[in-house]
């Protein structure tokens, strides 16, 4: 139960002290609902007006019970104050409204149950003037009639509520624009506003703290199950049901659930569900509210998978699922600004350490940090798929190690060039391409989490898969290939950390694979330049690009083909302008230098496949061709030319 204890502590420390820009933590015994209709009453419970709520303004804080917060099925339980028309309107059926299927034989039950609860609350010592006004109005039984008169709910020729709008000649009433396509206006959710005075600043029931406190005190008084809470170790009112809506407003999956009294969920070992686990009502409400709040403001969510990291004090942490550009806003130009006296690796490390230190300065090194991953296989059940507790200093140190170890030049597009480690979702996309579905992506992200949080090596199959796809240049769109290439280089470099690869060009590295990569980049550069000065440039890829995959499998024999293909372009450049001749002389000189280094190796003539190291040599050599001051401009020009070619 460590996870729920940490969330409970987070709620206790953050409630009322939320970081700037964060919404307040939701109070216990409450939930949120998307409302479509707002009814305004006076202090005596008389109808004043009503309006349709725009979708962007519809999210409403409402009182709820344990049962109503997770309601589902054919006989859902009503909410205590704000709810759908079938609950709040006595004349709902009289106007042709259809109740939920489970109430078909007892259409008055939803409204009667709603009234019973409302009256009990109003009769208690925790009553409230707004509550009394709403009760007085509801008891009149004219909710639907008033909404029809106000033009909110349209009627058909038979005097019954319209289910749909089919008149294309006239605009549909506003209510049809805010309900879902599968709903009818009679399914609208109603919220209340009570104007006790013309200038009442707290007319909205969902904003009145005294009404919120009134419901919390009343509902806690009605708790009937007491016992020892396994989180606090104290006797308190125990939760019978636990909250849902953790990942989004329509999420019905629960982390704690035991409602199968007739099956084998817990029977055989236990008689009652409370024998398996007993959690205080106050504790579970606060813990789940904290988790919902954290996921909404600093979590990662893709489909059913959700991941969030947080400090118990509420101080913001870097997100392990994001890349460094998204997290720290360190782009390539930031790194280049400090590379005058040190290499890219050292410059990046300094900027990364400074960025991480900014977080560390706000946190106690011994403060608890939690990383939790959630997933669900069915709509009603959720599980914790990943969980770690660390001290703040350890978390930041491991995050820094991940970004430093797998750092490489990344090109995600014109406005997304940075130096750093790729994010897990991007790694999954680079590794699997079109084969990637939601299930495979979730599994891959989950596999990569321990690599970030625990310092594990990236799985070798992911490294090989990204390298394999990066070599298939002609099989990818140019922008996609650029992205996959950067990710493949990052993973290969980080996986083989003992080789101490550098992001800058290593002219002294004399390994066969690295030198072959440099040769390919030089050949690609020569032909690209020749094509850019002719009409051919808009028609096809370079020979080096087209044969890249074959080159990675049989480098020696393929290089002979590539080198022969360069001869016509070199002849054209020699007969061209002085600029072309100068460019060719520099590239040929560099080509001869690399060939000389390669000729000194006994394995030069081997046609054995190349490892991913050749991509590092290729990418580093290509990057070295771009003057540091104009790298982004050169990259943008190269991207534009390549996109035209493809």
């Amino acid at each position: 139960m460590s996870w729920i204890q940490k969330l409970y502590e987070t709620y206790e420390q953050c409630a009322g002290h939320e970081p700037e820009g964060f919404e307040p933590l939701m109070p216990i015994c409450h939930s949120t609902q998307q409302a479509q209709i707002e009814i305004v009453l006076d202090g005596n419970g008389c109808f004043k007006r009503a309006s349709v709520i725009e979708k962007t303004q519809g999210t409403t804080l409402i009182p709820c019970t344990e049962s109503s917060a997770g309601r589902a099925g054919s006989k859902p339980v009503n909410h205590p104050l704000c709810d759908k028309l079938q609950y709040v309107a006595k004349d709902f059926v009289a106007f042709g409204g259809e109740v939920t299927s489970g109430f078909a034989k007892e259409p008055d039950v939803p409204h009667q149950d709603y009234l019973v609860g409302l009256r009990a609350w109003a009769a208690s010592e925790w009553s409230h003037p707004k509550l009394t006004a709403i009760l007085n109005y509801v008891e009149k039984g004219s909710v639907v009639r008033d909404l029809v008169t106000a033009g909110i709910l349209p009627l058909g020729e038979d005097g019954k509520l319209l289910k749909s709008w089919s008149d294309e000649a006239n605009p549909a009433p506003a209510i049809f624009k805010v309900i879902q396509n599968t709903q009818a206006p009679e399914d609208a959710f109603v919220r209340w506003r009570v104007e006790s005075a013309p200038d009442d600043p707290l007319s909205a029931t969902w904003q009145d703290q005294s009404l919120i406190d009134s419901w919390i005190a009343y509902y806690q008084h009605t708790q009937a199950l007491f016992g020892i809470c396994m989180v606090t170790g104290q006797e308190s009112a125990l939760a019978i049901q636990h909250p849902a809506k953790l990942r989004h407003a329509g999420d019905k999956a629960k982390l704690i659930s035991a409602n199968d009294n007739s099956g084998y969920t817990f029977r055989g070992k236990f008689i009652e569900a409370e024998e398996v686990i007993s959690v205080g009502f106050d504790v579970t409400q606060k813990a789940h509210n904290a988790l919902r709040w954290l996921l909404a403001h600093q979590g990662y969510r893709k489909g059913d998978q959700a991941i969030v990291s947080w400090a118990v004090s509420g101080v913001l942490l870097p997100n392990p699922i994001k890349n460094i550009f998204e997290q720290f806003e360190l782009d390539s130009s930031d790194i280049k600004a400090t590379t005058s006296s040190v290499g890219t690796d050292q410059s990046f490390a300094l900027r990364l350490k400074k960025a991480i230190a900014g977080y560390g300065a706000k946190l106690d090194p011994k403060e608890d940090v939690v990383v939790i991953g959630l997933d669900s296989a069915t709509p009603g059940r959720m599980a914790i798929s990943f969980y770690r507790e660390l001290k703040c200093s350890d978390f930041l140190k491991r995050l820094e190690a991940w970004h430093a170890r797998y750092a490489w030049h990344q090109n995600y597009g014109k406005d997304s060039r940075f130096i750093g480690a790729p994010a897990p979702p991007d790694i999954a996309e680079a590794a699997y391409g079109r084969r990637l579905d939601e299930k495979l992506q979730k599994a891959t992200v989950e596999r990569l989490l321990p690599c970030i949080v625990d310092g594990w090596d990236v799985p070798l199959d992911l490294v090989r898969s990204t390298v394999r796809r990066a070599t298939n240049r002609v099989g990818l769109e140019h922008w996609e290939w650029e992205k996959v290439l950067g990710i493949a280089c990052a993973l290969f470099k980080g996986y083989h950390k003992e080789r101490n690869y550098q992001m800058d060009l290593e002219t002294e590295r004399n390994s066969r694979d690295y030198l072959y990569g440099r040769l390919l980049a030089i050949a690609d550069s020569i032909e690209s330049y020749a094509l850019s000065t002719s009409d051919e440039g808009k028609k096809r890829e370079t020979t080096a690009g087209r044969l890249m995959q074959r080159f990675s499998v049989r480098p020696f024999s393929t290089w002979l083909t590539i080198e022969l293909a360069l001869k016509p372009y070199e002849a054209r450049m020699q007969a061209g302008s002085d600029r072309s001749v100068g460019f060719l002389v520099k590239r040929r000189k560099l080509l001869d230098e690399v060939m000389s280094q390669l000729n000194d190796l006994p394995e030069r003539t081997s046609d054995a496949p190349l490892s991913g190291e050749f991509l590092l040599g290729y990418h580093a050599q290509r990057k070295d061709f771009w003057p540091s001051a104009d790298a982004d401009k050169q990259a943008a020009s190269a991207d534009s030319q390549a996109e035209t070619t493809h």
Side-chain angles (χ1 to χ4, degrees):
M1 299 305 294
S2 178
W3 64 273
I4 199 169
Q5 180 181 358
K6 293 300 181 185
L7 287 166
Y8 173 67
E9 292 174 4
T10 302
Y11 187 99
E12 292 291 276
Q13 292 195 41
C14 295
H17 306 284
E18 293 85 352
E20 184 178 353
F22 278 43
E23 293 180 0
L25 278 157
M26 189 186 300
I28 63 173
C29 311
H30 284 73
S31 183
T32 56
Q33 188 71 39
Q34 192 73 15
Q36 290 85 32
I37 296 176
E38 180 177 292
I39 296 178
V40 183
L41 310 175
D42 64 18
N44 297 318
C46 297
F47 180 85
K48 294 185 68 175
R49 62 185 181 277
S51 61
V52 174
I53 309 167
E54 294 183 10
K55 288 185 177 181
T56 56
Q57 305 295 323
T59 303
T60 306
L61 182 70
I62 64 167
C64 67
T65 64
E66 287 182 277
S67 299
S68 73
R71 69 186 188 184
S74 61
K75 284 191 174 183
V77 180
N78 64 278
H79 293 304
L81 188 66
C82 304
D83 214 324
K84 291 186 175 183
L85 285 168
Q86 70 170 351
Y87 298 101
V88 303
K90 182 179 180 179
D91 54 350
F92 177 74
V93 176
F95 277 87
E98 297 181 10
V99 297
T100 306
S101 60
F103 298 118
K105 295 181 180 180
E106 306 170 295
D108 294 333
V109 169
H111 178 67
Q112 292 302 322
D113 288 348
Y114 172 77
L115 267 182
V116 169
L118 206 61
R119 286 167 177 163
W121 180 13
S124 72
E125 61 181 283
W126 297 280
S127 185
H128 191 278
K130 284 187 174 63
L131 171 63
T132 302
I134 294 169
L135 176 60
N136 290 340
Y137 174 66
V138 170
E139 288 181 328
K140 296 176 183 178
S142 61
V143 174
V144 174
R145 184 176 70 248
D146 290 339
L147 291 176
V148 169
T149 303
I152 304 299
L153 297 177
L155 296 180
E157 295 180 357
D158 58 355
K160 304 297 183 181
L161 294 173
L162 277 180
K163 309 292 184 182
S164 60
W165 187 260
S166 58
D167 186 359
E168 298 181 0
N170 296 302
I175 189 65
F176 284 99
K177 299 177 182 179
V178 297
I179 58 175
Q180 298 179 12
N181 294 333
T182 57
Q183 291 181 319
E186 64 191 53
D187 297 317
F189 195 95
V190 177
R191 71 184 187 189
W192 308 100
R193 187 183 290 272
V194 180
E195 296 180 346
S196 302
D199 57 348
D200 186 359
L202 288 176
S203 61
T205 57
W206 60 95
Q207 296 174 342
D208 191 333
Q209 189 61 47
S210 63
L211 181 61
I212 293 171
D213 294 338
S214 167
W215 168 250
I216 293 173
Y218 169 71
Y219 188 65
Q220 287 182 317
H221 176 72
T222 65
Q223 299 296 305
L225 179 63
F226 289 83
I228 300 297
C229 172
M230 292 185 177
V231 177
T232 63
Q234 300 176 351
E235 184 170 357
S236 61
L238 299 181
I240 299 174
Q241 296 188 34
H242 299 267
K245 296 185 179 181
L246 293 176
R247 295 167 296 189
H248 52 84
D251 189 10
K252 297 297 184 182
K254 295 183 178 182
L255 279 169
I256 304 175
S257 178
N259 60 358
D260 189 3
N261 293 318
S262 60
Y264 296 94
T265 302
F266 56 85
R267 290 194 169 191
K269 291 185 177 181
F270 305 97
I271 298 175
E272 300 294 337
E274 291 74 24
E275 297 176 35
V276 184
I277 182 173
S278 57
V279 181
F281 171 78
D282 184 72
V283 170
T284 190
Q285 289 274 316
K286 290 181 177 179
H288 282 80
N289 284 352
L291 181 55
R292 184 185 298 115
W293 177 74
L294 289 166
L295 287 172
H297 289 93
Q298 59 192 68
Y300 160 85
R301 187 168 72 84
K302 183 72 173 181
D304 291 332
Q305 186 180 57
I307 300 167
V308 66
S309 59
W310 78 93
V312 174
S313 66
V315 177
L316 291 179
L317 288 176
N319 190 330
I321 301 299
K322 290 185 176 181
N323 61 53
I324 201 166
F325 176 68
E326 296 172 324
Q327 186 63 62
F328 303 116
E329 298 182 355
L330 293 181
D331 61 17
S332 297
S333 60
D334 290 330
I335 307 299
K336 292 194 206 89
T338 61
T339 57
S340 56
S341 59
V342 296
T344 302
D345 291 82
Q346 294 89 337
S347 174
F348 172 77
L350 290 172
R351 294 300 299 268
L352 176 62
K353 189 176 292 292
K354 183 177 179 181
I356 293 287
Y359 284 92
K362 303 174 185 177
L363 290 159
D364 184 337
K366 297 182 179 180
E367 181 171 353
D368 291 331
V369 169
V370 182
V371 184
I372 190 171
L374 307 172
D375 203 355
S376 58
T378 66
R381 297 288 185 272
M382 187 189 302
I384 296 175
S385 57
F386 182 86
Y387 185 80
R388 295 290 188 277
E389 287 184 20
L390 308 90
K391 295 302 178 183
C392 172
S393 57
D394 291 335
F395 175 77
L396 294 178
K397 189 181 300 181
R398 293 178 187 181
L399 196 62
E400 181 181 351
W402 160 263
H403 284 291
R405 179 178 176 180
Y406 294 94
W408 196 262
H409 298 276
Q410 304 295 336
N411 183 358
Y412 288 9
K414 183 177 180 181
D415 299 321
S416 299
R417 292 188 178 89
F418 63 94
I419 297 173
D426 294 321
I427 294 175
E429 184 180 335
Y432 298 109
R434 295 182 180 89
R435 292 182 295 153
L436 186 68
D437 56 17
E438 184 177 315
K439 183 177 181 180
L440 183 56
Q441 184 178 48
K442 290 194 300 183
T444 306
V445 171
E446 193 172 310
R447 292 177 68 197
L448 289 168
L449 267 179
C451 305
I452 303 172
V453 180
D454 300 330
W456 295 6
D457 291 339
V458 166
L460 182 58
D461 64 291
L462 293 181
V463 179
R464 288 173 173 170
S465 183
T466 54
V467 168
R468 192 180 305 114
R469 292 194 72 234
T471 60
N472 186 24
R473 180 168 171 175
V474 296
L476 303 173
E477 295 289 339
H478 178 72
W479 64 268
E480 185 180 10
W481 174 74
E482 287 282 3
K483 183 175 182 178
V484 173
L485 176 62
I487 293 173
C489 290
L491 297 189
F492 190 88
K493 170 203 172 223
Y495 187 84
H496 298 283
K497 62 178 181 179
E498 73 283 353
R499 300 181 187 178
N500 195 30
Y501 291 116
Q502 303 295 304
M503 285 184 276
D504 292 325
L505 179 63
E506 299 178 72
T507 56
E508 302 302 317
R509 187 175 288 275
N510 292 326
S511 67
R512 165 181 172 267
D513 293 5
Y514 195 86
L515 292 173
Y516 264 124
R518 293 185 62 189
L519 283 179
L520 189 68
I522 297 169
D524 194 27
S525 174
I526 293 173
E527 188 170 346
S528 292
Y529 186 91
L531 290 173
S532 68
T533 59
S534 68
D535 294 336
E536 259 189 293
K538 297 182 179 180
K539 296 179 181 178
R540 68 171 186 81
E541 178 65 271
T542 64
T543 304
R546 287 186 288 109
L547 298 182
M548 191 173 191
Q549 195 277 333
R550 176 181 159 190
F551 180 80
S552 69
V553 179
R554 296 189 296 275
F556 180 72
S557 57
T558 307
W559 172 248
L560 297 178
T561 303
I562 294 174
E563 192 172 28
L564 286 174
L566 289 178
K567 299 304 181 182
Y569 297 106
E570 291 178 347
R572 182 191 304 169
M573 293 169 70
Q574 287 175 339
S577 64
D578 292 342
R579 183 178 178 183
S580 295
V581 173
F583 178 88
L584 180 60
V585 169
K586 290 180 181 178
R587 290 293 186 268
R588 285 301 315 182
K589 180 181 179 181
L590 182 60
L591 188 66
D592 292 341
E593 291 175 358
V594 176
M595 285 296 299
S596 176
Q597 289 177 274
L598 191 60
N599 288 334
D600 292 338
L601 301 178
E603 64 271 26
R604 180 186 72 83
T605 58
S606 170
D607 222 12
L610 299 173
S611 70
E613 183 179 295
F614 98 92
L615 292 177
L616 302 186
Y618 172 82
H619 196 280
Q621 181 65 73
R622 191 179 70 153
K623 190 74 176 176
D624 190 65
F625 289 148
W626 296 343
S628 59
D630 300 320
D632 286 340
K633 188 182 298 184
Q634 294 280 356
S637 175
D639 284 352
S640 177
Q641 177 187 340
E643 287 168 5
T644 303
T645 301
H646 282 276

